[in-house]
DNA sequence: GGGGACTTTGGACTACGGTTCCAAACTAAC
DNA sequence: GTTAGTTTGGAACCGTAGTCCAAAGTCCCC
């Protein structure tokens, strides 16, 4: 993949709508060209194919998740409080890029087979949350768990599955309100023995 | 879709491996024919195309989930205990049909666009769990939650995302051992106010 | 202001694979 | 033994992802 210029990158994000609506294979390269205003030949000049366009969009979303999560990690407070901030940050990205997020979730198989996407998912969410869980065990704000990484994956699953669910239902429910469902579930779930909040 | 005879149905399940490995589009109809031993023309006699083969397999898995969950629902005990049984039952299905489950998760987009699959997911998991949560609030074994349905979706997400994660990593970890990660997370997360287990 | 390197684009073309079609053989029922 | 349904190989059709190319445009350096 050639280095994608700023303007091209912006235009390409319009393809997220198509991918979210119809999936990668339901989307013709011509459609991408039409939706983004970038002619097919030009798309192929920059990308190896439509799968690479998809992964380009995914990368952008994952970068946004990564930044949001990182900022939340640096917020003040106990590990438990920061975990709650991370969940909110994650939900914010869904709210900000609903179509791209849906595309990411729906073409998960495609995505998961791309190594950079996999490492980016780890780096953006799983690693930070896993280490946060370890910190929580140390500072006493969270219960120690047997497998922090798997626990992080479970949290990721809970957040993203329900966010996608809400986006797909498309009742006007703001995704952010999910925090009222998820955060107590997770924080109580990881509440230190005997503790109460 | 014509009524699929028993033997054909059994053979077709072999296609799950392909779908899990390469996804629907990475799988050629010829490959399906080769893997199942059913010639292409015969496949087209019974199914409208490969997407219908996929959805046939998904339906089978979801039916298995539905049965397992229903059995768990009928087990004795408080709602909390039955919720724990439901999670185990769900994990059992992943352990029993790993490839088909992976295919289901990876080609989720395809699946989610098929109305029967969507209703089957609701019927097999979301509805029962949501009503279990309501029961738990009544029998006092679980905290009352604002939105039982969304909470059920979050639980579903936690279970399936981490199960897929374990299956994909393909370290010999048995999927069933996930119960030690998920069940405490969920049950503590839904523990009634002030209660301890 | 001319030349080289890179970018942009239209349009023709290729190749692959999903799907359709068909006709011959087979099976089962009555 | 006739009819209805099934099974299959093989050929054909067709849409579309991806390739190729050549003409034009842009940018920068001298």
């Amino acid at each position: 993949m050639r280095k994608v210029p700023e303007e091209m990158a912006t235009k390409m994000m319009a393809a997220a709508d198509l991918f979210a609506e119809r999936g990668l294979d339901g989307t013709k390269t011509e459609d991408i060209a039409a939706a983004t205003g970038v002619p097919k030949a030009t798309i192929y000049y920059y990308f190896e194919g439509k799968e690479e366009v998809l992964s380009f969009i995914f990368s952008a979303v994952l970068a946004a998740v990564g930044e949001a999560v990182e900022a939340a990690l640096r917020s003040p407070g106990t590990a438990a409080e920061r975990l709650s901030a991370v969940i909110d940050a994650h939900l914010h990205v869904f709210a900000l890029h609903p179509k791209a997020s849906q595309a990411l979730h729906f073409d998960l198989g495609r995505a998961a087979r791309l190594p950079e996407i996999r490492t980016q998912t780890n780096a953006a969410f799983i690693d930070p949350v896993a280490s946060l869980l370890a910190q929580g065990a140390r500072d006493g704000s969270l219960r120690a768990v047997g497998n922090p990484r798997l626990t992080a994956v479970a949290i990721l699953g809970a957040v993203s599955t329900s966010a996608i669910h809400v986006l797909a239902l498309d009742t006007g429910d703001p995704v952010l309100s999910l925090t009222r469902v998820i955060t107590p579930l997770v924080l109580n779930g990881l509440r230190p023995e005997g503790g109460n909040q």
Side-chain angles (χ1 to χ4, degrees), chain A:
Chain A
M1 186 168 77
R2 231 172 274 256
K3 188 180 160 323
V4 179
E6 193 66 28
E7 198 202 338
M8 181 77 48
T10 325
K11 284 186 182 170
M12 275 304 156
M13 297 309 285
D17 291 28
L18 297 181
F19 293 144
E21 230 59 67
R22 316 180 201 167
L24 179 60
D25 353 270
T27 306
K28 298 183 246 192
T29 43
E30 289 293 5
D31 297 343
I32 301 177
T36 59
V38 179
K40 196 172 69 153
T42 309
I43 295 177
Y44 275 96
Y45 182 72
Y46 283 106
F47 303 94
E48 303 227 319
K50 51 180 188 163
E51 184 154 325
E52 213 181 58
V53 174
L54 188 74
S55 97
F56 176 79
I57 294 173
F58 288 174
S59 270
V61 177
L62 286 174
V65 173
E67 279 168 40
V69 166
E70 209 190 322
L73 283 178
R74 281 196 308 266
S75 65
T78 62
E81 285 160 350
R82 278 176 290 146
L83 177 56
S84 153
V86 164
I87 292 172
D88 287 353
H90 195 184
L91 288 174
H92 263 287
V93 176
F94 279 99
L96 217 52
H97 306 287
K99 291 300 179 184
S101 303
Q102 269 175 288
L104 176 51
H105 200 250
F106 282 151
D107 270 303
L108 199 57
R110 285 314 223 315
R113 264 173 221 111
L114 304 171
E116 333 98 68
I117 300 292
R118 224 189 302 211
T119 53
Q120 243 186 316
T121 311
N122 283 334
F125 194 95
I126 301 178
D127 295 342
V129 170
S131 83
L132 200 48
L133 296 179
Q135 284 172 43
R138 265 180 266 128
D139 77 10
S141 65
L142 297 172
R143 153 170 79 79
V145 293
N147 192 330
R149 234 143 192 291
L150 272 183
T151 306
V153 172
I155 295 172
L156 171 68
V159 173
S160 53
T161 304
S162 50
I164 293 298
H165 186 85
V166 167
L167 288 176
L169 282 183
D170 201 22
T171 57
D173 291 12
V175 181
L176 293 182
S177 70
L178 270 174
T179 190
R180 284 200 293 278
V181 170
I182 309 278
T183 307
L185 184 66
V186 170
L187 287 192
N188 277 327
L190 296 174
R191 181 166 56 168
E193 316 289 342
N196 254 313
Q197 45 222 95

